[in-house]
Amino acid sequence: MIIKMKKGSSKNQYKKVVDFLESKGLEIKDVSSEQVTIFGIIGDTTQIEPFDLYAFEGVGDVTRVSTPFKKASRSFHPKDTIIELPNGLKIGGDHFTLMAGPCSVESEAQLRTIAKAVSKTGTKILRGGAYKPRTSPYSFQGMGLDGLKLLRKVADEFGMLVVSEMMTPNLLHEFNQYVDIIQIGARNMQNFDLLKMLGKTDKPILLKRGLSSTIEEWLMSAEYIMASGNDQIILCERGIRTFENYTRNTLDISSVLAVKELSHLPVIVDPSHAAGRWEMIENLSLAALAVGSHGLIVEVHHDPEHALSDGAQSLKPKKYENMVKKLQNIAAVTGKDVQ
Amino acid sequence: MIIKMKKGSSKNQYKKVVDFLESKGLEIKDVSSEQVTIFGIIGDTTQIEPFDLYAFEGVGDVTRVSTPFKKASRSFHPKDTIIELPNGLKIGGDHFTLMAGPCSVESEAQLRTIAKAVSKTGTKILRGGAYKPRTSPYSFQGMGLDGLKLLRKVADEFGMLVVSEMMTPNLLHEFNQYVDIIQIGARNMQNFDLLKMLGKTDKPILLKRGLSSTIEEWLMSAEYIMASGNDQIILCERGIRTFENYTRNTLDISSVLAVKELSHLPVIVDPSHAAGRWEMIENLSLAALAVGSHGLIVEVHHDPEHALSDGAQSLKPKKYENMVKKLQNIAAVTGKDVQ
Amino acid sequence: MIIKMKKGSSKNQYKKVVDFLESKGLEIKDVSSEQVTIFGIIGDTTQIEPFDLYAFEGVGDVTRVSTPFKKASRSFHPKDTIIELPNGLKIGGDHFTLMAGPCSVESEAQLRTIAKAVSKTGTKILRGGAYKPRTSPYSFQGMGLDGLKLLRKVADEFGMLVVSEMMTPNLLHEFNQYVDIIQIGARNMQNFDLLKMLGKTDKPILLKRGLSSTIEEWLMSAEYIMASGNDQIILCERGIRTFENYTRNTLDISSVLAVKELSHLPVIVDPSHAAGRWEMIENLSLAALAVGSHGLIVEVHHDPEHALSDGAQSLKPKKYENMVKKLQNIAAVTGKDVQ
Amino acid sequence: MIIKMKKGSSKNQYKKVVDFLESKGLEIKDVSSEQVTIFGIIGDTTQIEPFDLYAFEGVGDVTRVSTPFKKASRSFHPKDTIIELPNGLKIGGDHFTLMAGPCSVESEAQLRTIAKAVSKTGTKILRGGAYKPRTSPYSFQGMGLDGLKLLRKVADEFGMLVVSEMMTPNLLHEFNQYVDIIQIGARNMQNFDLLKMLGKTDKPILLKRGLSSTIEEWLMSAEYIMASGNDQIILCERGIRTFENYTRNTLDISSVLAVKELSHLPVIVDPSHAAGRWEMIENLSLAALAVGSHGLIVEVHHDPEHALSDGAQSLKPKKYENMVKKLQNIAAVTGKDVQ
């Protein structure tokens, strides 16, 4: 961390902040010149929030030069994390993993129809929402526990695994029972009580990026989970909020590369929530493969017009099948293994 | 709601979406011309999420022309909501209410020092965090229940009320016991499980705007609380995330005016989190009064350099006192009553 | 266009806005219900800026249902525009066109080294800045006319075409003389005097998207050029400004799909300015191909450390060569023709 | 400037960047520890764009610790700049200066009606657009030179000064002749050829902030003008582009405080373009005064429904008059002088 004092700040102000830092066991290296008073801080600075140092009068700029996360950082863990699932499926490295299914579980028949269709393409992870975060209290809120049970039942029929979103720490027991990968949604990325609870399960966590989260904040949320004891995390880019509203969100495809540089954790892409328009899903998925992500989570529905949520961004099974073929074609020349 | 079909869409596609809408009890008014197929939907459209209609092939644009919220809307409740607190204090209308105190409760002595100082200026609501949402798992996470108890104890000594942030539904009982206003933080504005739980208390709720929430989404979160049975809500603008990072967030001062137009609920401003720099608090507070907000929530600390959180954006008591005097001067000429 | 009157607006207010619209030759279709007064406007609404209608008291919401651009719209020109360059090279359709070269022309030797290297890979368009828009007045501002002349000379040696940025209408004559494609930079996307002048040349225009331009505004700038008489336009996505600043800008890869839906004009991607980091260029370029764009404009420099501008986002020739091979591999399975 | 090398970077990479910097006359102060290689750069770093240093392999992070602007910086010119206009009017310091008039000059009668009305309130600067930057090529583009002449004529009748927007360097002669303050619009804030030309006039410049410009970039554009020889600059905050679109733009009221801290130049607020809705103008103007800005530029029109541009954000004269009274009331208690 580097601190630059304000022009005209006093020696006493300088002393106060230096004393404070030294009391934390940190070492000061001064590099001041005639024009400017500036010094570096050596040691474990993750205990300090740079912003808090502005509380000291005279402090001008505080700049962090090391990442605030440790366990999630590639510096501390240079090799790629590869997550191994119960059925031997692997996420990370050269694997390109597909997760597909409806936005919401609506009925056993609906889920089976879709699971059958996506399973046929070789997709081995079934997605589906049982508890739904909806902007409006008047919208369908999900089937709840019955939805979780249906997911387990139908996935087992087709030899698939289940990924589903958990919104409250109170349901951890049920998710442990019925689900293989626990999804934390964008709106809960900084629901810290929820994150801390995830140390109490050994299920892998699919951690979506918040709508307006920086890459650093996203990795800090991963750090929360890791700090509480669970290091099986799959990150998921799903679009960020910007001024552009032709698409529902703006897919930040570069974030895949940033995550791969900063962290060892696998990172997949959710083109459905990013675009919000099914017409774009195929091409964004091809781009997600080409850019180097580790997989996709895609909404598929056989009757999107009557879907209880997100029909607009759901692919019909036939379109999904075509897309998987194109993914396989590109994967064949880029050394990836679509699964 | 207005739906425009895509150029080249078929009669069958048109029929499918119209049939669907009519099956929901909605009425269709067609205004198509030779160039374009377009129709309006009459009836209670809050049951439909416009985005979902894109699932119908042939649908080009869907535009909502009425707000998706009801109970929070001024159309349904034209008169200003004025919230009356246990000690008779009122929030809303021509009242300009001050809430002040430390970011985090750190100790009884700290809290008493600050409460005494802000109380002296006539401020009657003590803020203080007992459970803290921190970006880093390695930062101070708050004193927890002991913090809540201290807030109650110290506030009572000075005849003040308590506002404090609740992060998890599990603690509602404790907050009901120790707190007068329950704060929902920006990161939890769309933690829907938490919002639904607030129907189970009759305490007023201070609902902060999410970092990247539109005004409509913010009011929809208020609607969640109201739909679950609690209509005592105070909205709080605290800055949004933009590309500008000289300030911690960008105070969207116009949102105060937007909320007052769209809703009957009172709206206050948090200049501390918006700016992130104590030097700006006073002037932003004066602006918040001038623009027509119903109050402020401000961080005050007697020793901000050693604050365990947010010292950088905390005012020292003397500066807070000066600010209150300036607020009173402006209020005197604008017909507001600072309390 | 759809207009919804405010609740409580008067008949007289309604009459005023309707009279105004009818005086413009537009037709009104009323679809009001008991709850809401609402009507559609039929006719050529491109003459009206929706925002201006809010000037009428009583007007609540104005919603455009047709695009404000005509010549740039796919509705008016369903077939893809394919631009043919002097040497027969084509941009658009299934062609994937590469443009590469230094950020700035620095010297004849520099330019020749780079042109030779990129030419070797089959790249036929040489990029290079002679007039540079720099944030700081103290930074290198480009070689000016000498730079243009060098571009022409060196490109001719290798049988290449030249693309370079024009910042002021006064230099049109010189650009006509030395350049094959005139680039309009992001900062000048809404320099309307400059856009209007481009009707006076028959050179193709490479129109970059502004840092904070919506897709609609970008197409409106294309419309300006087309309305002034030049319909040879290549759009270029180069990243937008968002809250995320790990990358220089956020590459909005979905905008390629949006443009292809809304317009018939070709659209390429500039990964260099989007990412601002050379490490990301290759993978973003592969994604740009996979998503369906019509080409790339890439910064290449043999000695980026000593480049006078943008060295950080320039690929070394060897890396560029590797990237082109990977592009060709993917193009081979996706039916594109890299040139 | 502080440079941190990447983990695992080589000594040779370190040497290359250090040699480069020393060759520019800069001094290196190394503060490396065992964990990290890091050094500060002492000297005039405005000659270096931090981003360019990433071109050196091994460079991890580059952080600027001094502002890139000099002449515009308060460090180099601690005292407030106060601009004195031909008629003795002053902008800056404790003066709060009003500029008002129509968005576009439409006719002599229109301009005179409005000028008379705003003049009556004590407003001494008449705004009006003669050359209009319009998003659509099909919208009214302004009266051009005739508009400028009318502005001069009508302003003289009422003893007022003229501010009007210049979009192209070619018209400097005409603006010098007819106008007292030359406005540079948001879309041209980084039209560097235009900025450089402004060194050739001694008229004050009203420099609007770009839609997506950081405060630093805005001050760098002021620096461009100052570096070319004109230091009479008034900055103008007019709202930035964010995800929120209830308002036309988001008024960044904190930027007034940031500018006053970083620079000695006066800064005013344009509430009309920020809000885009006349209902919000009055309250935003009061906030702009309360926050400490040096004035306002406001759109006023006696017949906004038939205004050729921006009617929606124009105040009627009576509403403007009421607003000025309220401004005077607040100014009386805050020690400002409304003029």
Side-chain angles (χ1 to χ4, degrees):
Chain A
M1 211 171 286
I2 305 289
I3 297 187
K4 185 194 158 200
M5 301 300 287
K6 283 187 182 167
K7 204 159 185 164
S9 60
S10 68
K11 282 201 176 164
N12 192 40
Q13 288 172 338
Y14 174 87
K15 192 174 176 318
K16 265 174 119 169
V17 62
V18 162
D19 284 355
F20 171 77
L21 292 164
E22 289 180 343
S23 78
K24 299 275 180 188
L26 299 165
E27 189 191 335
I28 303 301
K29 280 225 185 176
D30 193 296
V31 273
S32 302
S33 66
E34 270 172 57
Q35 284 78 36
V36 59
T37 304
I38 188 164
F39 58 91
I41 310 174
I42 314 290
D44 177 14
T45 54
T46 58
Q47 57 180 311
I48 293 178
E49 297 229 349
F51 225 89
D52 289 349
L53 295 176
Y54 291 107
F56 286 84
E57 288 187 59
V59 167
D61 284 292
V62 183
T63 310
R64 189 153 50 202
V65 291
S66 54
T67 57
F69 41 86
K70 292 190 258 193
K71 293 172 193 288
S73 166
R74 197 175 275 282
S75 309
F76 290 78
H77 184 305
K79 248 181 80 180
D80 277 8
T81 284
I82 294 182
I83 288 170
E84 193 163 341
L85 295 162
N87 64 354
L89 203 66
K90 286 172 183 159
I91 299 179
D94 287 335
H95 307 287
F96 189 79
T97 308
L98 300 176
M99 311 183 186
C103 174
S104 298
V105 179
E106 299 168 16
S107 72
E108 186 165 342
Q110 171 243 25
L111 193 60
R112 184 172 293 114
T113 305
I114 298 170
K116 190 175 171 186
V118 301
S119 168
K120 215 178 59 178
T121 68
T123 301
K124 294 197 180 59
I125 304 180
L126 181 64
R127 65 146 288 151
Y131 299 88
K132 300 298 305 171
R134 303 303 298 273
T135 308
S136 167
Y138 311 120
S139 297
F140 175 61
Q141 308 276 318
M143 288 182 72
L145 189 55
D146 287 344
L148 281 193
K149 290 178 183 170
L150 283 181
L151 277 166
R152 182 74 275 153
K153 181 179 174 190
V154 173
D156 285 347
E157 287 179 29
F158 296 96
M160 296 180 83
L161 301 175
V162 169
V163 58
S164 194
E165 177 173 355
M166 186 170 86
M167 290 165 64
T168 172
N170 299 342
L171 289 166
L172 184 58
H173 178 74
E174 288 78 0
F175 274 77
N176 264 333
Q177 194 173 353
Y178 297 112
V179 157
D180 301 294
I181 301 174
I182 299 175
Q183 177 181 321
I184 299 299
R187 286 174 186 76
N188 280 315
M189 194 203 83
Q190 292 194 318
N191 182 338
F192 300 119
D193 279 359
L194 185 56
L195 300 182
K196 286 176 195 171
M197 184 63 68
L198 300 172
K200 302 197 179 161
T201 176
D202 55 2
K203 303 276 181 185
I205 308 301
L206 183 73
L207 179 65
K208 290 207 167 184
R209 180 179 183 184
L211 272 76
S212 64
S213 294
T214 62
I215 292 164
E216 186 179 297
E217 287 168 343
W218 187 18
L219 291 171
M220 281 308 282
S221 287
E223 186 82 11
Y224 252 96
I225 302 171
M226 297 175 93
S228 68
N230 184 343
D231 58 5
Q232 299 291 295
I233 298 170
I234 305 149
L235 297 161
C236 179
E237 161 67 31
R238 44 77 73 210
I240 56 173
R241 181 154 278 180
T242 69
F243 64 84
E244 178 59 65
N245 53 23
Y246 186 81
T247 41
R248 194 167 192 171
N249 296 284
T250 297
L251 180 64
D252 181 10
I253 202 157
S254 313
S255 77
V256 171
L257 300 171
V259 165
K260 289 174 74 177
E261 185 180 326
L262 293 168
S263 179
H264 51 88
L265 297 169
V267 54
I268 69 168
V269 168
D270 172 352
S272 308
H273 284 87
R277 297 168 167 258
W278 63 263
E279 298 96 326
M280 290 187 175
I281 306 306
E282 178 177 301
N283 288 38
L284 291 180
S285 295
L286 301 180
L289 170 61
V291 90
S293 75
H294 297 106
L296 294 171
I297 182 163
V298 181
E299 292 185 352
V300 175
H301 202 290
H302 62 295
D303 183 14
E305 292 91 339
H306 298 93
L308 293 178
S309 59
D310 279 0
Q313 61 197 39
S314 297
L315 281 184
K316 290 194 179 170
K318 186 70 196 163
K319 285 177 178 137
Y320 180 71
E321 198 184 322
N322 287 341
M323 180 179 95
V324 173
K325 276 182 205 146
K326 291 189 184 175
L327 287 167
Q328 287 163 338
N329 288 343
I330 292 182
V333 297
T334 59
K336 283 274 188 172
D337 155 38
V338 176
Q339 61 188 13
Chain B
M1 211 172 286
I2 305 289
I3 296 188
K4 186 193 157 200
M5 301 299 288
K6 282 187 182 167
K7 204 160 183 163
S9 59
S10 68
K11 283 201 177 165
N12 192 40
Q13 288 172 338
Y14 174 86
K15 192 174 175 317
K16 264 175 120 168
V17 62
V18 162
D19 285 355
F20 171 77
L21 291 165
E22 289 179 341
S23 78
K24 298 275 181 189
L26 299 165
E27 190 191 334
I28 303 300
K29 282 226 184 177
D30 194 295
V31 274
S32 302
S33 66
E34 270 172 56
Q35 284 78 36
V36 59
T37 304
I38 187 163
F39 57 93
I41 310 173
I42 313 288
D44 177 14
T45 54
T46 58
Q47 57 180 309
I48 293 177
E49 297 228 351
F51 225 91
D52 289 349
L53 295 176
Y54 291 108
F56 287 85
E57 288 186 58
V59 167
D61 284 292
V62 183
T63 311
R64 189 153 50 201
V65 291
S66 54
T67 58
F69 40 86
K70 293 190 258 195
K71 294 172 192 287
S73 167
R74 198 176 274 282
S75 309
F76 292 78
H77 184 307
K79 248 182 79 181
D80 277 8
T81 285
I82 294 183
I83 289 170
E84 192 163 341
L85 296 163
N87 64 354
L89 202 67
K90 285 173 183 159
I91 299 180
D94 287 335
H95 307 286
F96 189 79
T97 308
L98 300 177
M99 311 182 185
C103 175
S104 298
V105 180
E106 299 168 17
S107 73
E108 187 166 341
Q110 172 243 23
L111 192 60
R112 185 172 292 114
T113 305
I114 298 170
K116 189 175 171 185
V118 300
S119 169
K120 214 179 58 177
T121 68
T123 300
K124 294 198 178 61
I125 303 180
L126 181 64
R127 66 145 288 152
Y131 299 88
K132 300 299 305 171
R134 303 302 299 274
T135 308
S136 167
Y138 310 120
S139 299
F140 175 61
Q141 308 275 319
M143 288 182 71
L145 190 54
D146 288 343
L148 282 193
K149 290 179 183 170
L150 283 181
L151 278 165
R152 183 73 275 153
K153 181 179 173 190
V154 172
D156 285 346
E157 287 178 28
F158 296 96
M160 296 180 83
L161 301 174
V162 169
V163 57
S164 193
E165 177 172 356
M166 186 169 87
M167 288 165 64
T168 172
N170 298 342
L171 288 166
L172 184 58
H173 178 73
E174 288 78 0
F175 274 77
N176 263 332
Q177 194 173 353
Y178 297 112
V179 157
D180 300 294
I181 302 174
I182 299 176
Q183 177 180 321
I184 300 299
R187 285 173 187 77
N188 280 316
M189 194 203 82
Q190 292 195 318
N191 182 338
F192 300 119
D193 279 0
L194 185 57
L195 300 182
K196 286 175 194 170
M197 184 62 68
L198 299 174
K200 303 197 178 160
T201 177
D202 55 2
K203 302 275 182 186
I205 308 301
L206 182 73
L207 180 64
K208 290 207 166 183
R209 180 180 184 184
L211 273 76
S212 64
S213 293
T214 62
I215 291 163
E216 186 179 296
E217 288 168 343
W218 187 18
L219 290 171
M220 281 308 281
S221 287
E223 186 81 11
Y224 253 95
I225 302 171
M226 296 176 94
S228 68
N230 184 344
D231 58 5
Q232 300 291 294
I233 299 169
I234 305 150
L235 297 161
C236 179
E237 161 67 31
R238 44 77 74 212
I240 56 173
R241 181 155 280 181
T242 70
F243 65 83
E244 178 59 65
N245 53 23
Y246 187 80
T247 42
R248 194 166 192 172
N249 296 285
T250 297
L251 180 64
D252 180 10
I253 203 158
S254 313
S255 77
V256 170
L257 300 171
V259 165
K260 288 175 76 177
E261 185 180 327
L262 294 169
S263 179
H264 50 88
L265 297 170
V267 55
I268 69 168
V269 168
D270 172 353
S272 308
H273 284 87
R277 297 169 166 256
W278 63 263
E279 298 95 327
M280 290 187 176
I281 306 306
E282 177 178 300
N283 288 38
L284 291 180
S285 296
L286 301 180
L289 169 61
V291 90
S293 75
H294 297 105
L296 294 172
I297 182 163
V298 181
E299 292 185 351
V300 175
H301 202 290
H302 64 293
D303 183 16
E305 292 90 339
H306 297 93
L308 293 178
S309 59
D310 279 0
Q313 61 196 40
S314 298
L315 282 185
K316 290 195 179 170
K318 186 68 195 164
K319 284 176 179 139
Y320 180 71
E321 198 184 322
N322 287 339
M323 180 180 95
V324 173
K325 277 182 204 147
K326 291 189 184 175
L327 287 167
Q328 287 163 337
N329 288 342
I330 292 182
V333 297
T334 59
K336 284 273 188 172
D337 155 38
V338 176
Q339 62 189 11
Chain C
M1 211 172 286
I2 305 288
I3 296 188
K4 185 193 158 202
M5 301 299 288
K6 283 186 181 167
K7 205 161 183 161
S9 60
S10 68
K11 283 203 176 164
N12 191 40
Q13 287 171 341
Y14 174 85
K15 191 174 177 317
K16 264 174 119 169
V17 62
V18 163
D19 284 354
F20 171 77
L21 291 165
E22 290 180 343
S23 78
K24 298 275 181 189
L26 299 164
E27 191 190 336
I28 303 301
K29 281 223 185 176
D30 193 296
V31 274
S32 302
S33 66
E34 270 172 57
Q35 284 77 36
V36 61
T37 304
I38 189 164
F39 57 92
I41 311 174
I42 314 290
D44 176 15
T45 54
T46 57
Q47 56 179 310
I48 293 178
E49 298 228 350
F51 224 91
D52 289 348
L53 295 176
Y54 291 108
F56 286 85
E57 289 186 57
V59 167
D61 283 293
V62 183
T63 311
R64 189 154 47 202
V65 291
S66 55
T67 57
F69 40 87
K70 292 191 259 193
K71 294 173 193 285
S73 167
R74 196 176 275 282
S75 309
F76 291 77
H77 184 306
K79 248 183 77 181
D80 278 7
T81 285
I82 294 181
I83 288 170
E84 191 163 343
L85 295 164
N87 64 354
L89 202 68
K90 284 172 184 162
I91 299 180
D94 287 335
H95 307 287
F96 189 80
T97 308
L98 300 176
M99 312 182 186
C103 174
S104 298
V105 179
E106 298 169 16
S107 72
E108 186 166 342
Q110 172 244 22
L111 193 59
R112 185 172 292 114
T113 305
I114 298 169
K116 190 175 171 185
V118 300
S119 168
K120 215 178 59 177
T121 69
T123 301
K124 294 198 178 60
I125 303 180
L126 181 64
R127 66 145 288 152
Y131 299 88
K132 300 299 304 172
R134 304 304 298 275
T135 308
S136 166
Y138 310 120
S139 298
F140 176 59
Q141 308 276 319
M143 287 184 72
L145 189 55
D146 288 344
L148 282 193
K149 290 179 183 170
L150 283 181
L151 277 165
R152 183 73 275 154
K153 182 179 173 190
V154 172
D156 285 346
E157 287 178 29
F158 295 96
M160 296 179 83
L161 300 175
V162 169
V163 56
S164 193
E165 177 173 356
M166 187 169 86
M167 290 165 62
T168 172
N170 298 343
L171 288 167
L172 184 57
H173 178 73
E174 287 78 0
F175 274 77
N176 263 332
Q177 195 173 352
Y178 297 111
V179 158
D180 300 295
I181 301 174
I182 298 175
Q183 177 181 323
I184 300 299
R187 285 173 187 76
N188 281 315
M189 194 204 82
Q190 290 194 319
N191 182 338
F192 300 119
D193 279 0
L194 184 57
L195 300 182
K196 286 176 195 171
M197 184 63 67
L198 299 173
K200 302 198 178 159
T201 177
D202 55 3
K203 302 277 181 183
I205 308 300
L206 182 73
L207 180 65
K208 290 206 165 182
R209 181 180 184 184
L211 271 77
S212 63
S213 293
T214 62
I215 291 164
E216 185 179 297
E217 288 169 342
W218 187 17
L219 290 171
M220 280 308 281
S221 287
E223 186 82 10
Y224 252 97
I225 301 172
M226 296 175 94
S228 68
N230 184 345
D231 57 6
Q232 300 291 294
I233 299 171
I234 305 148
L235 296 161
C236 179
E237 162 66 32
R238 44 77 73 208
I240 56 173
R241 181 156 280 182
T242 70
F243 65 82
E244 177 59 65
N245 53 24
Y246 186 80
T247 42
R248 192 167 194 170
N249 297 284
T250 297
L251 180 64
D252 180 10
I253 203 157
S254 313
S255 76
V256 171
L257 300 171
V259 164
K260 288 175 75 177
E261 184 180 328
L262 293 170
S263 179
H264 50 89
L265 296 171
V267 54
I268 69 169
V269 168
D270 171 354
S272 308
H273 283 87
R277 297 169 166 258
W278 63 263
E279 298 95 326
M280 291 188 175
I281 306 306
E282 179 178 298
N283 288 38
L284 291 180
S285 296
L286 300 181
L289 169 61
V291 91
S293 76
H294 296 106
L296 294 171
I297 182 163
V298 181
E299 292 184 351
V300 175
H301 202 291
H302 63 294
D303 184 15
E305 292 92 338
H306 298 93
L308 294 177
S309 59
D310 279 0
Q313 61 196 41
S314 297
L315 282 185
K316 290 193 181 171
K318 186 69 194 163
K319 285 175 177 138
Y320 179 71
E321 199 184 321
N322 287 340
M323 178 179 97
V324 173
K325 277 182 204 145
K326 292 186 184 177
L327 287 167
Q328 287 163 338
N329 288 342
I330 292 181
V333 296
T334 58
K336 283 274 189 172
D337 155 38
V338 176
Q339 63 188 12
Chain D
M1 210 171 289
I2 304 289
I3 296 187
K4 184 193 159 201
M5 300 300 287
K6 283 187 182 166
K7 205 160 180 160
S9 60
S10 69
K11 283 202 178 165
N12 191 39
Q13 288 171 338
Y14 175 86
K15 191 174 177 315
K16 263 175 120 169
V17 62
V18 163
D19 284 354
F20 170 77
L21 291 164
E22 289 180 341
S23 78
K24 298 275 180 187
L26 298 164
E27 190 190 336
I28 304 301
K29 281 225 184 177
D30 194 295
V31 274
S32 302
S33 66
E34 268 172 59
Q35 284 77 35
V36 60
T37 304
I38 189 164
F39 57 92
I41 310 174
I42 313 289
D44 176 15
T45 54
T46 58
Q47 57 178 312
I48 294 178
E49 297 228 351
F51 225 91
D52 289 350
L53 294 176
Y54 290 108
F56 286 85
E57 289 186 57
V59 167
D61 284 293
V62 183
T63 311
R64 188 153 48 200
V65 290
S66 55
T67 57
F69 41 87
K70 293 190 257 193
K71 293 172 193 287
S73 168
R74 198 177 274 283
S75 310
F76 291 77
H77 184 305
K79 248 182 80 182
D80 278 7
T81 285
I82 294 182
I83 288 171
E84 192 164 342
L85 295 164
N87 64 354
L89 203 68
K90 285 173 184 160
I91 299 179
D94 287 335
H95 307 286
F96 189 79
T97 307
L98 301 176
M99 311 182 186
C103 174
S104 298
V105 179
E106 299 169 16
S107 72
E108 186 166 342
Q110 171 245 20
L111 192 59
R112 184 173 293 115
T113 304
I114 298 169
K116 191 175 169 184
V118 300
S119 168
K120 215 177 60 177
T121 68
T123 301
K124 294 200 179 61
I125 303 180
L126 181 64
R127 66 144 289 152
Y131 298 88
K132 300 299 303 171
R134 303 303 297 276
T135 307
S136 167
Y138 310 120
S139 298
F140 175 59
Q141 308 276 319
M143 288 183 70
L145 189 55
D146 288 344
L148 282 193
K149 289 178 183 170
L150 283 181
L151 278 166
R152 183 73 275 154
K153 183 179 171 190
V154 172
D156 284 346
E157 287 178 30
F158 295 96
M160 296 179 82
L161 300 176
V162 169
V163 57
S164 193
E165 177 173 354
M166 187 169 86
M167 290 165 64
T168 172
N170 298 343
L171 288 166
L172 183 58
H173 179 72
E174 288 78 0
F175 274 77
N176 264 332
Q177 197 173 351
Y178 297 112
V179 158
D180 301 295
I181 301 174
I182 299 175
Q183 177 181 322
I184 299 300
R187 285 174 186 75
N188 280 314
M189 194 203 83
Q190 291 193 319
N191 182 337
F192 299 119
D193 279 359
L194 185 57
L195 300 182
K196 286 176 194 171
M197 184 62 69
L198 300 173
K200 302 199 177 159
T201 177
D202 55 2
K203 303 276 181 185
I205 308 302
L206 183 73
L207 180 65
K208 290 205 165 184
R209 182 179 182 184
L211 272 78
S212 63
S213 293
T214 62
I215 291 164
E216 186 180 297
E217 288 169 344
W218 187 18
L219 290 171
M220 281 308 281
S221 287
E223 187 82 11
Y224 252 97
I225 301 172
M226 296 176 94
S228 68
N230 185 345
D231 57 6
Q232 299 292 293
I233 299 170
I234 305 150
L235 297 162
C236 179
E237 161 66 32
R238 44 78 71 208
I240 57 173
R241 180 156 280 182
T242 70
F243 64 83
E244 177 59 66
N245 53 23
Y246 186 80
T247 42
R248 193 167 193 170
N249 296 285
T250 298
L251 180 64
D252 180 10
I253 203 157
S254 313
S255 76
V256 170
L257 300 171
V259 165
K260 287 174 76 177
E261 185 180 327
L262 293 169
S263 179
H264 50 89
L265 296 170
V267 54
I268 69 168
V269 168
D270 172 353
S272 308
H273 284 87
R277 297 169 166 257
W278 63 263
E279 298 96 327
M280 291 188 175
I281 306 305
E282 179 178 298
N283 288 38
L284 291 180
S285 295
L286 300 181
L289 169 61
V291 91
S293 76
H294 297 105
L296 295 170
I297 182 163
V298 181
E299 292 185 351
V300 175
H301 202 290
H302 63 294
D303 184 15
E305 292 91 339
H306 297 94
L308 293 178
S309 59
D310 278 1
Q313 61 196 41
S314 297
L315 282 185
K316 289 194 181 172
K318 186 68 195 163
K319 284 176 178 139
Y320 180 71
E321 199 184 321
N322 287 340
M323 179 179 97
V324 173
K325 277 182 204 144
K326 291 187 183 176
L327 287 167
Q328 287 164 338
N329 288 342
I330 292 183
V333 297
T334 59
K336 282 274 189 172
D337 156 36
V338 176
Q339 62 187 12

